[in-house]
Each structure stands twice: as structure tokens, then as C-alpha cells.
Amino acid sequence: MHHNNILGTVLAGGKSQRFGEDKSQVTLANKLLIDYVLSEIIDQFKEVLIVSNNSINFQSSEKITKIEDYKKGLGPLCGVLSAMKWIKTNKRDYQWIATFPVDTPFFKRQILKDFIKNINFNESDLFFIKSNNTRHNIFGLWSIKLLDRLEKDLNDGERKVELWANNVGVKIINMEFPNNDPFFNINTKEDLEKAKEILK
């Protein structure tokens, strides 16, 4: 499954305030946290972009490019905009970006396949996953038609992904996972310990 008109994008911001250090560089079972998501998505896209303002390590692949936010300190929406601007600047022909956080080690490529299979691209310019009553605002598919509006709203002070998405008219794709939560994310050191237990 190569989505030739979609750019895979990992939002690796780098602040990780609650965690106390850059989460992408934390190891879980001898593997960097960022590499869990990269290894699931790398063969699904022609190219993958990592947006991070830190100097970081990640699995090596000629498909992967790392960029920084075009403006620092504006949160994940700016990461999305930075990816869109990269497409424009580098004259790529992607129409969409698929975004992934850096801290969900149990996410599997099949979820991505099912998510995209359930999308009617004519219904909206923005799609998010919702699973087990929780909406995941960083697992999204964003049309690059949103670039100008996103840039304007960021300049006007908008920072909250959820509010901005609601204003744009996000379409939610519902998915159910009765057993383990593949969207379990690591925000704190306690979460990291929990993830180690789950892996066992």
C-alpha cells in the first residue's frame, strides 16, 4: 500500500514537558520510541517526514527526512503546517499529510490501512481517528488545501488542535479495539513503566 499522494509525517516536537526529556529518544525494550512508529509506517509511504526541533536519532532510511518547525514553540499545529510548507517548497505532489505522534509504541500499520480504507476523501479536508470513545487528534489525515487557513489561524494565536479541527469541520473515523489499546501513549515516566509491563 503506497499512498503516492500522502506524505507520512511524525510529529516529534521535542518539548515533552511532562516527561522531562525528549520522548522520541527514550528506549523501550532496547528500541527508540520514535522507531516504533517509524517501523510501522515506513513501508506505507513514498516518503516520511520527521518534524523535530532537536538533534535526534532514528532508524536510518533514505525515505526519511527530518525538518524543524518553521516557527518554534507553537505546538503540533505548527508541525503540521511545517510539513505542508515543506511539500510546497520542495515541489512535491502530495495532496495530503498523514500525522503520527512519537509516543505510541503499540500502534500497528493495519490501523493505518483500515483508517485510510474507511475514508471518503471528498467528505472533508481533515480526518481523525476515534477509538473506544477517545478522539486521537494527532492521528490524522490533513489536506494541504488547509495550508493558508492553518497559517492564518496560527498567526492569530490558535494553538489547540481539537478546537481548530472542529472549526474546520473534521470528519471522525470510528474504530474499536476491545482488548489492548494501540493508542496508549507515553506522557510520563510512569507510562513508560506501564508500557514495559504491556510488552512483557
Side-chain angles (χ1 to χ4, degrees):
M1 176 187 86
H2 260 303
H3 298 293
N4 289 334
N5 67 340
I6 305 175
L7 174 68
T9 304
V10 177
L11 299 176
K15 277 209 164 163
S16 310
Q17 280 159 329
R18 283 162 68 189
F19 197 84
E21 59 186 288
D22 187 335
K23 283 190 285 195
S24 75
Q25 301 301 283
V26 168
T27 53
L28 174 63
N30 299 320
K31 184 173 173 179
L32 287 173
L33 207 43
I34 192 170
D35 286 342
Y36 279 90
V37 72
L38 284 174
S39 56
E40 292 300 320
I41 67 171
I42 192 78
D43 60 353
Q44 307 297 306
F45 300 102
K46 232 176 16 179
E47 290 184 278
V48 171
L49 206 59
I50 297 172
V51 187
S52 171
N53 298 318
N54 296 340
S55 169
I56 58 171
N57 296 312
F58 47 86
Q59 69 180 62
S60 116
S61 164
E62 57 196 24
K63 281 186 173 187
I64 299 174
T65 304
K66 180 193 156 301
I67 64 166
E68 295 194 355
D69 282 315
Y70 94 105
K71 279 187 187 166
K72 308 279 192 294
L74 302 187
L77 283 174
C78 190
V80 173
L81 180 60
S82 302
M84 291 179 178
K85 282 178 169 291
W86 181 87
I87 290 171
K88 228 174 162 180
T89 306
N90 293 281
K91 297 184 170 52
R92 299 294 206 271
D93 54 3
Y94 302 114
Q95 301 306 308
W96 297 82
I97 68 167
T99 52
F100 305 89
V102 80
D103 57 1
T104 46
F106 306 116
F107 180 81
K108 296 290 178 235
R109 72 197 67 184
Q110 190 57 48
I111 301 167
L112 172 62
K113 291 178 181 177
D114 294 342
F115 174 49
I116 290 175
K117 200 169 66 191
N118 282 302
I119 283 175
N120 173 352
F121 286 86
N122 301 316
E123 276 189 321
S124 180
D125 288 329
L126 181 59
F127 299 87
F128 286 162
I129 295 177
K130 185 177 184 179
S131 74
N132 308 351
N133 295 321
T134 302
R135 182 167 129 177
H136 304 289
N137 296 319
I138 305 295
F139 286 97
L141 199 65
W142 316 61
S143 168
I144 65 164
K145 289 180 199 159
L146 296 168
L147 189 154
D148 292 339
R149 176 164 180 182
L150 180 51
E151 183 158 29
K152 180 192 175 297
D153 292 344
L154 269 169
N155 288 335
D156 290 346
E158 183 59 78
R159 298 291 177 266
K160 289 196 160 35
V161 178
E162 185 142 353
L163 285 178
W164 188 81
N166 290 349
N167 289 334
V168 165
V170 62
K171 178 96 173 72
I172 303 298
I173 306 295
N174 283 300
M175 305 175 97
E176 291 300 320
F177 302 95
N179 301 322
N180 290 334
D181 176 14
F183 296 98
F184 176 84
N185 67 315
I186 294 173
N187 284 316
T188 62
K189 299 280 204 271
E190 290 74 35
D191 293 337
L192 182 62
E193 292 310 313
K194 264 185 222 161
K196 288 175 184 170
E197 287 305 312
I198 294 168
L199 272 183
K200 279 178 191 165

